[in-house]
Amino acid sequence: MSTASDSPTVTGLSVTAEHPTVSCSPTESGSAASGLPTAAEWERLEQGVMQRVRTFEAFLTDVYGGTEDARVLTDGVLPRRLVTTSERFRREAVGIAQPVRVAVASVDVVRDEHGTFRVVADDLCCPAWPAHVAPHLLRALRTVARTAARMADPAVTQAIDRISDRATDPVVVALTPSDSALARQPGVAAVAGRDLVCRDNVVYHRDRRVDVLYRTVADDLIDPLHFQPDSVHGLSGVLNAARTGAVVLANAVGNGLGEDPLIHSFAPRLIEYYLGENPILPTVNPESFHTTQFLPIMPNEQDFPQLSTDSSTVDNSSISGLRLFAVNDGTDVTVLSDGVWTSDLSTSNIPQQNSAVDTKVLW
């Protein structure tokens, strides 16, 4: 097993990272007092985010991508019922093979009381991201479309190629609000469910065949044929189209499984299983989250408050930290930071205090 300091590059997948020129860009002068990362810590954060995206991509592909039992279950890495009983598991999506399931993700990190950066949440479904992510995401989606064209069933490909050449000029539409940053990119249209039609397992927008459907619509609303029948936000039959390979959904349906609080706590084990690596970024322990004092990450040192020494009074409902974004085209993972600290970190991967969620899994 490799060490945490090894390069995160694996066979068939390279990684890159970028920083915008903004207030939280990496500097040698980052300080523990403000909580901002130093240049060395930024590099570690980037590698850790890349590692997590590759891991969850492998895990979700393992669970949903084939008709056979997932390896992670047959090998006993995860308890089977942890997956099958999860409210975020989508049986309807089993057997849908996509070249990329996690095209874009956000990762929220905090500093613990010892100064170590820990992951508190991974958003693998429909993360909100700043405008500078859009051009990177569009390039990734077009790359994914070309990969899907090579993967598709020959009969499907032949029928599709008579309509448009997705291998050279893929069509990307955004099932998002009209002011979406992605919809402002050249050649991308913002659409509503009523603007699309699915015919013979092919999705159309007006007279154009759609190759990639980027969506911010929740799983339960994306396809009335398989989920909520009264949904007016999605497109009936789009899941069947994705199953044939005629369209790619970004992000894929069912990705929320990786956000389940119990499964999320297994992230270190999944990293070791799928990548053969030690975790670069530790995950916040859900059992101690509500009693751990996290250091605020703030752009100005003078905003740094005094920490409480009474662990029984810790309130992590509004902790501040960093949110980083990863764009994945199946070959390269590009990590970008939104460049600012946020006090709106997600704790969706953490069981609520006094909740009925039992974090001690029975095998």
Side-chain angles (χ1 to χ4, degrees):
M1 182 176 296
S2 62
T3 64
S5 61
D6 288 343
S7 169
T9 303
V10 294
T11 303
L13 182 67
S14 61
V15 294
T16 58
E18 291 193 11
H19 298 292
T21 306
V22 287
S23 60
C24 285
S25 294
T27 63
E28 293 294 346
S29 59
S31 72
S34 67
L36 297 179
T38 63
E41 288 175 322
W42 269 110
E43 182 177 357
R44 186 174 182 83
L45 283 170
E46 291 168 346
Q47 292 181 353
V49 169
M50 296 168 189
Q51 184 186 62
R52 295 180 76 88
V53 170
R54 289 156 47 219
T55 297
F56 281 115
E57 177 71 37
F59 167 66
L60 294 167
T61 298
D62 190 12
V63 171
Y64 289 111
T67 56
E68 302 295 330
D69 270 354
R71 292 188 301 112
V72 72
L73 303 183
T74 57
D75 289 348
V77 178
L78 282 183
R80 181 178 301 275
R81 64 176 178 173
L82 195 63
V83 171
T84 58
T85 62
S86 171
E87 294 181 354
R88 309 189 193 194
F89 176 56
R90 298 290 181 262
R91 296 180 185 275
E92 298 85 350
V94 173
I96 297 179
Q98 294 194 176
V100 170
R101 294 192 60 88
V102 185
V104 61
S106 69
V107 180
D108 289 355
V109 297
V110 294
R111 274 194 194 272
D112 66 17
E113 53 201 345
H114 304 294
T116 301
F117 279 106
R118 292 181 176 271
V119 176
V120 69
D122 298 88
D123 191 338
L124 310 169
C125 295
C126 305
W129 38 264
H132 71 263
V133 174
H136 300 273
L137 178 57
L138 180 57
R139 283 195 295 269
L141 295 179
R142 285 175 170 161
T143 299
V144 170
R146 296 184 184 101
T147 304
R150 296 192 296 268
M151 291 175 52
D153 181 271
V156 174
T157 302
Q158 184 178 8
I160 290 174
D161 286 347
R162 287 198 297 268
I163 305 169
S164 69
D165 188 359
R166 63 175 175 166
T168 58
D169 188 23
V171 175
V172 179
V173 300
L175 189 59
T176 63
S178 58
D179 60 350
S180 162
L182 183 62
R184 295 197 295 269
Q185 295 298 302
V188 179
V191 300
R194 63 180 178 273
D195 300 321
L196 302 172
V197 62
C198 186
R199 184 171 63 249
D200 297 329
N201 291 332
V202 177
V203 177
Y204 297 92
H205 174 231
R206 297 175 181 170
D207 59 344
R208 297 195 307 167
R209 208 197 107 265
V210 174
D211 301 302
V212 178
L213 181 62
Y214 176 80
R215 49 102 183 196
T216 57
V217 176
D219 285 357
D220 289 343
L221 302 176
I222 191 65
D223 190 338
L225 188 63
H226 292 279
F227 299 110
Q228 291 188 18
D230 58 346
S231 172
V232 297
H233 301 288
L235 172 64
S236 185
V238 69
L239 212 59
N240 292 340
R243 191 178 301 278
T244 67
V247 70
V248 174
L249 292 175
N251 284 343
V253 171
N255 280 10
L257 180 65
E259 301 174 10
D260 182 285
L262 289 179
I263 291 177
H264 191 257
S265 67
F266 277 81
R269 183 177 295 184
L270 295 177
I271 290 170
E272 294 173 358
Y273 177 70
Y274 286 109
L275 305 184
E277 300 174 358
N278 292 326
I280 297 172
L281 294 177
T283 303
V284 168
N285 185 346
E287 293 182 336
S288 61
F289 174 79
H290 298 289
T291 59
T292 299
Q293 179 75 70
F294 295 103
L295 305 181
I297 298 177
M298 297 182 176
N300 299 309
E301 293 187 23
Q302 59 268 29
D303 295 329
F304 187 73
Q306 294 296 318
L307 299 180
S308 169
T309 57
D310 182 359
S311 62
S312 64
T313 63
V314 172
D315 179 10
N316 288 324
S317 60
S318 59
I319 56 175
S320 65
L322 290 173
R323 177 166 295 158
L324 296 102
F325 301 90
V327 175
N328 174 24
D329 66 9
T331 301
D332 298 316
V333 176
T334 301
V335 176
L336 308 104
S337 169
D338 63 3
V340 295
W341 68 279
T342 175
S343 59
D344 187 30
L345 292 180
S346 172
T347 56
S348 61
N349 302 145
I350 303 295
Q352 295 301 305
Q353 201 164 15
N354 301 321
S355 73
V357 177
D358 183 5
T359 57
K360 295 180 180 179
V361 180
L362 299 178
W363 291 71

